[in-house]
Amino acid sequence: MGHRILPAARVFASAAVLAVNLLTLPAAAQTAGVTRTDLQRHDLGAPSREAVQVRVDLAPGVVFGRHTHPGEEIIYVLAGAIEYDVEGKPPVTLGAGDVLFIPAGTVHAAKNVGRETASELATYIVAKDKPLLTPVK
């Protein structure tokens, strides 16, 4: 009977993590034309750090405004053409198969500059218990 409780506990824990993610995701991350799909979240061996993977889909012409993360972001473009504006660097347009590294706390934005939905796989190595994304005005 103990084996049946464990799967239920995992489902409950997963639901709790999803609820926390939805409650702590700022309104800026819920921009029209932007779909963020949480794929996985795991504690790391380093104290107070976690890895988070998210698929981000941007409709044509959509801008995901200036923001920061409480850790590093590693981007892999899955489809389309995305222009990244990373503070201190000239804007760069990346396509499917291209990668980008954004250091912790760096202000950045993204814009779909193509005619189709653009998608990226974003992997974050971040401080736990902090908002994953903080908008910057």
Side-chain angles (χ1 to χ4, degrees):
M1 187 147 113
H3 294 288
R4 292 178 194 206
I5 294 172
L6 184 57
R10 284 184 184 159
V11 169
F12 179 74
S14 295
V17 168
L18 178 60
V20 168
N21 287 343
L22 292 174
L23 292 172
T24 60
L25 192 61
Q30 298 172 13
T31 303
V34 177
T35 303
R36 294 177 57 89
T37 305
D38 286 356
L39 301 173
Q40 61 178 329
R41 181 180 292 252
H42 299 283
D43 290 344
L44 297 175
S48 301
R49 304 288 283 175
E50 66 181 340
V52 179
Q53 276 194 320
V54 177
R55 179 184 172 120
V56 181
D57 297 297
L58 302 167
V62 167
V63 175
F64 194 94
R66 294 166 36 94
H67 62 280
T68 63
H69 304 285
E72 293 77 14
E73 179 179 11
I74 303 160
I75 296 169
Y76 177 79
V77 178
L78 299 168
I82 304 173
E83 179 182 275
Y84 294 93
D85 185 4
V86 179
E87 190 170 70
K89 296 183 179 184
V92 61
T93 300
L94 303 179
D98 291 332
V99 296
L100 181 67
F101 177 82
I102 300 176
T106 301
V107 176
H108 60 287
K111 178 181 181 181
N112 180 346
V113 294
R115 296 181 182 196
E116 63 185 32
T117 297
S119 303
E120 71 174 27
L121 174 65
T123 302
Y124 307 96
I125 307 300
V126 293
K128 286 182 68 168
D129 304 323
K130 289 192 178 181
L132 184 59
L133 183 147
T134 302
V136 174
K137 293 182 181 188

